[in-house]
């Protein structure tokens, strides 16, 4: 980007006097479940993230693990290991390890292997007519497209009965992977108990126009990354591995009908990886009725979904807040369940609203296949229908499939949308190239906004593969961003970073820091604003 362009970049190079020592070659890896690990929560485990140029995470961390603990799992792509302490070990032992290991060279973070759960509020089974596809106008959109099998929605959840008569036509021939049990089959272990993922799959993409059962939002292809056990609980590590796997499978949309584990760097890096690799990550706002959104929906990389009922009122259980971007039906939603449970049932939760939104996203891509994940996210918000709720409750509005497939993304936001993030569908993008000399180096930028009130801005860093560069952003201030002072950060184990900010504060120029954690090389920094 030129110094005298419309964007007003201002670059200030500063060398620091402290930091880590030089880098080793980065090593790749493919996420896979570690044999012998039990599904569900991983109590007593600590996740340790390592800068990729320092070597494999196990090699870096193992030397610091106390004698009563062991490395039990490694993900080289996300560059972390799980360290398991004995069940009888006191909490202070894990905390002492976390405090000590984070001071070691090449270690970026250490944290408890938090537990996440399905975002479901079950009711007694009720059979009747669907309302979700009609309420989000998928049925009207079907006059334009029924969906396309080239679009893939990954359901990261419990297992799913992928051979269900109303799902088999849309599940891929290789239906997924089981990260909870560590095998290649995501089929439910106990179909009468494990039904959540089957219901979620049907909300998104039960086969449309097959003459039986229910209809999802469109005929997208489905895959399942089983990361939760029969009770609906799962560990950060299993979910993060499943998200990475889904992105590596080329998923266009990744559905996360789960939450409650709090902020973790491991999960943050997983959703950042998926976003950087082109997936739209759609996540449940949560079910405790509070005025803030649960993680992972609260990460800027995720599109947070709240739930409404068939009267288009906010569901009593749905969490809400400024992070909500869109809403969808989530009360008494009829969808597929395992045949052992009767094949169909009604369930409630933001777990249901999320795959309805994911299904609308898939249907939209069937019509507008060239949309990037950022463009798709903006288009769904721009075409959402204002149903009269506050922006904290509905975000930009209720997902509107008809508006999404009939409105040209290059023209306008269309629809009846009226919440934050609505408006025109225009975007503008520009980039700047730079280089960093080593761990002691960073570049600060000031960025003058092109739009007065953009609905979203995406900041992306593409750096060298043999270094570890991080990205930090401040808005609404003239204070430089830095690793110790930032509003938004992306600091994965490599140099591919992405930050998404909805309705950014444009009262001052945006402050951006490109920081070398280790290594040197050239990079490209790209800013995309959406109107």
């Amino acid at each position: 980007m030129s110094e005298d362009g419309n964007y007003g970049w201002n670059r200030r190079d500063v060398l620091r006097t402290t930091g880590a020592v030089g880098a080793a070659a980065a090593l790749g890896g493919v996420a896979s479940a570690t044999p012998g690990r039990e599904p569900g929560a991983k109590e007593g485990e600590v996740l340790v993230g390592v800068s990729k140029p320092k070597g494999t995470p196990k090699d870096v961390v193992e030397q610091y693990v106390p004698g009563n603990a062991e490395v039990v799992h490694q993900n080289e792509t996300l560059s972390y290991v799980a360290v398991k302490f004995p069940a009888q070990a006191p909490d202070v032992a894990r905390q002492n390890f976390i405090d000590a290991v984070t001071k070691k060279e090449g270690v970026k973070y250490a944290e408890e292997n938090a537990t996440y759960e399905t975002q479901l509020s079950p009711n007694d089974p009720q059979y009747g007519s669907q309302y979700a596809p009609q309420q989000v106008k998928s049925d009207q959109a079907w006059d334009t497209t029924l969906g396309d099998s080239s679009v893939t929605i990954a359901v990261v959840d419990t297992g799913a009965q992928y051979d269900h008569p109303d799902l088999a036509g849309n599940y891929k021939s290789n239906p997924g992977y089981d990260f909870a049990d560590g095998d290649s089959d995501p089929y439910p272990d106990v179909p009468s108990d494990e039904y959540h993922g089957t219901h979620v799959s049907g909300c998104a993409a039960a086969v449309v126009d097959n003459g039986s059962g229910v209809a999802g939002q469109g005929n997208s292809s489905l895959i399942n990354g089983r990361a939760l056990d029969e009770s609906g609980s799962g560990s950060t590590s299993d979910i993060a591995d499943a998200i990475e796997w889904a992105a590596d499978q080329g998923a266009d949309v990744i559905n996360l009908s789960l939450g409650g584990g709090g902020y973790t760097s491991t999960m943050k890096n997983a959703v950042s990886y998926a976003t950087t690799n082109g997936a739209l990550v759609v996540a449940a706002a949560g079910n405790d009725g509070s005025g803030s959104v649960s993680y992972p929906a609260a990460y800027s990389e995720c599109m947070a979904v709240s739930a409404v009922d068939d009267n288009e009122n906010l569901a009593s259980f749905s969490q809400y807040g400024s992070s909500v971007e869109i809403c969808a039906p989530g009360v008494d939603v009829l969808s597929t369940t395992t045949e052992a449970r009767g094949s169909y049932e009604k369930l409630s939760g933001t777990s249901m609203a999320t795959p309805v939104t994911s299904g609308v996203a898939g249907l939209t891509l069937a019509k507008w296949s060239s949309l990037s994940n950022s463009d798709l996210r903006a288009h769904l918000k721009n075409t959402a229908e204002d149903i009269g709720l506050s922006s904290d409750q509905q975000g930009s509005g209720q997902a509107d499939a008809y508006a999404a497939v009939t409105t040209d993304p290059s023209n306008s936001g269309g629809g009846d949308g009226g919440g934050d993030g609505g408006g025109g569908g225009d975007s503008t993008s520009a980039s700047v190239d730079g280089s960093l000399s080593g761990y002691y180096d960073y570049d600060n930028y000031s960025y003058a906004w092109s739009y007065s009130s953009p609905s979203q801005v995406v900041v992306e860093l593409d750096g060298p593969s043999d270094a570890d560069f991080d990205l930090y952003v401040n808005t609404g201030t003239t204070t430089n961003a830095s690793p110790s002072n930032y509003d938004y950060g992306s600091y994965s184990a490599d140099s591919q970073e992405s930050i998404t900010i909805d309705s950014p504060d444009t009262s001052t120029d945006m402050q951006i820091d490109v920081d070398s954690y280790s290594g040197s090389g050239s990079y490209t920094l790209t800013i995309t604003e959406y109107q």
Side-chain angles (χ1 to χ4, degrees):
M1 180 181 301
S2 63
E3 296 272 343
D4 58 353
N6 294 329
Y7 304 94
W9 289 86
N10 179 24
R11 183 178 187 274
R12 298 182 293 275
D13 293 338
V14 183
L15 297 183
R16 291 178 294 171
T17 58
T18 60
V21 297
L27 297 175
V30 178
S32 61
T34 299
R37 279 165 64 77
E38 293 297 319
K42 302 292 191 296
E43 302 294 342
E45 288 189 4
V46 174
L47 305 181
V48 185
V50 174
S51 177
K52 278 190 176 180
K54 297 300 180 182
T56 63
K58 184 176 181 180
D59 288 345
V60 172
V61 175
E62 205 160 35
Q63 59 187 310
Y64 306 122
V65 175
N68 65 335
E70 61 177 330
V71 174
V72 294
H73 179 66
Q74 174 176 240
N75 183 318
E76 290 187 59
T77 301
L78 298 181
S79 197
Y80 79 85
V81 294
V83 178
K84 184 174 180 57
F85 284 74
Q88 67 273 20
D91 292 344
V92 68
R94 293 194 302 276
Q95 189 57 54
N96 287 342
F97 172 69
I98 289 173
D99 293 342
V101 77
T102 51
K103 296 181 175 70
K104 302 302 183 181
E105 179 185 328
V107 174
K108 301 199 76 170
Y109 68 85
E111 60 197 11
E112 297 280 353
N113 195 354
T115 301
Y116 293 78
E117 297 180 343
T118 57
Q119 296 298 292
L120 168 70
S121 297
N123 292 322
D124 293 333
Q126 302 176 51
Y127 298 92
S129 299
Q130 289 179 270
Y131 77 94
Q134 295 89 339
Q135 191 160 302
V136 298
K137 303 176 187 173
S138 292
D139 57 337
Q140 297 179 47
W142 295 335
D143 290 333
T144 301
T145 177
L146 291 175
D148 195 312
S149 61
S150 66
V151 177
T152 298
I153 298 174
V155 176
V156 174
D157 211 285
T158 65
Q161 187 190 331
Y162 50 76
D163 62 356
H164 188 290
D166 223 2
L167 295 175
N170 281 342
Y171 256 98
K172 288 191 173 183
S173 57
N174 183 358
Y177 194 90
D178 187 339
F179 292 87
D181 283 335
D183 60 57
S184 59
D185 189 356
Y187 204 84
D189 288 346
V190 185
S192 60
D193 294 338
E194 193 174 37
Y195 56 91
H196 188 268
T198 304
H199 197 276
V200 166
S201 297
C203 289
V207 180
V208 179
D209 199 33
N210 66 343
S212 65
V214 297
Q217 311 314 309
N219 286 332
S220 298
S221 291
L222 291 165
I223 55 174
N224 178 269
R226 182 175 183 253
L228 308 178
D229 66 10
E230 289 83 355
S231 70
S233 295
S235 66
T236 299
S237 56
D238 286 346
I239 298 166
D241 289 357
I243 292 169
E244 180 231 311
W245 165 84
D248 289 345
Q249 301 307 303
D252 299 288
V253 181
I254 298 176
N255 189 93
L256 302 179
S257 290
L258 49 86
Y263 181 100
T264 70
S265 293
T266 304
M267 192 73 77
K268 165 77 172 178
N269 289 343
V271 296
S272 179
Y273 178 87
T275 300
T276 300
N277 282 274
L280 174 64
V281 185
V282 185
N287 286 353
D288 69 12
S290 66
S292 61
V293 169
S294 292
Y295 288 98
Y299 295 118
S300 62
E301 291 86 352
C302 296
M303 188 173 196
V305 184
S306 62
V308 297
D309 61 21
D310 57 358
N311 291 316
E312 299 183 333
N313 294 318
L314 185 73
S316 60
F317 54 77
S318 181
Q319 287 171 236
Y320 57 94
S322 59
S323 295
V324 169
E325 295 184 46
I326 205 164
C327 67
V331 179
D332 288 338
V333 176
L334 181 63
S335 181
T336 49
T337 191
T338 57
E339 290 180 281
R341 296 179 61 88
S343 294
Y344 303 94
E345 64 182 304
K346 290 181 179 179
L347 298 176
S348 298
T350 52
S351 271
M352 285 64 250
T354 303
V356 170
T357 303
S358 294
V360 171
L363 193 61
T364 303
L365 282 176
K367 173 62 177 177
W368 309 110
S369 59
S370 63
L371 289 176
S372 69
N373 53 351
S374 295
D375 292 333
L376 174 61
R377 184 175 181 173
H379 186 61
L380 291 172
K381 292 162 62 177
N382 291 337
T383 56
E385 179 186 6
D386 183 354
I387 56 174
L389 302 178
S390 70
S391 60
D392 278 1
Q393 295 177 329
Q394 71 172 5
S396 296
Q398 184 170 244
D400 187 329
Y402 178 70
V405 302
T406 58
T407 303
D408 188 338
S410 65
N411 292 336
S412 70
D416 299 316
D420 289 343
D426 293 340
S427 65
T428 184
S429 182
S431 61
V432 63
D433 294 326
S435 64
L436 298 178
S437 300
Y439 68 87
Y440 47 80
D441 198 5
Y442 63 88
D443 289 340
N444 281 337
Y445 295 92
S446 292
Y447 174 82
W449 300 96
S450 176
Y451 298 138
S452 60
S453 299
S455 64
Q456 185 183 88
V457 61
V458 179
V459 186
E460 297 172 290
L461 176 65
D462 181 9
S465 60
D466 58 351
D468 183 357
F469 292 178
D470 297 329
L471 182 63
Y472 302 95
V473 171
N474 279 338
T475 59
T477 180
T478 58
T479 302
N480 291 344
S482 72
S484 61
N485 183 359
Y486 62 91
D487 295 328
Y488 307 92
S490 182
Y491 34 84
S492 66
D494 56 24
S495 299
Q496 305 301 308
E497 310 293 348
S498 178
I499 293 172
T500 300
I501 308 171
D502 290 310
S503 302
D505 185 341
T506 58
S507 60
T508 65
D509 291 352
M510 181 165 55
Q511 309 300 317
I512 304 169
D513 174 38
V514 179
D515 185 278
S516 173
Y517 181 86
S518 66
S520 62
S522 300
Y523 65 82
T524 299
L525 180 65
T526 303
I527 311 292
T528 305
E529 290 183 59
Y530 296 90
Q531 199 166 36

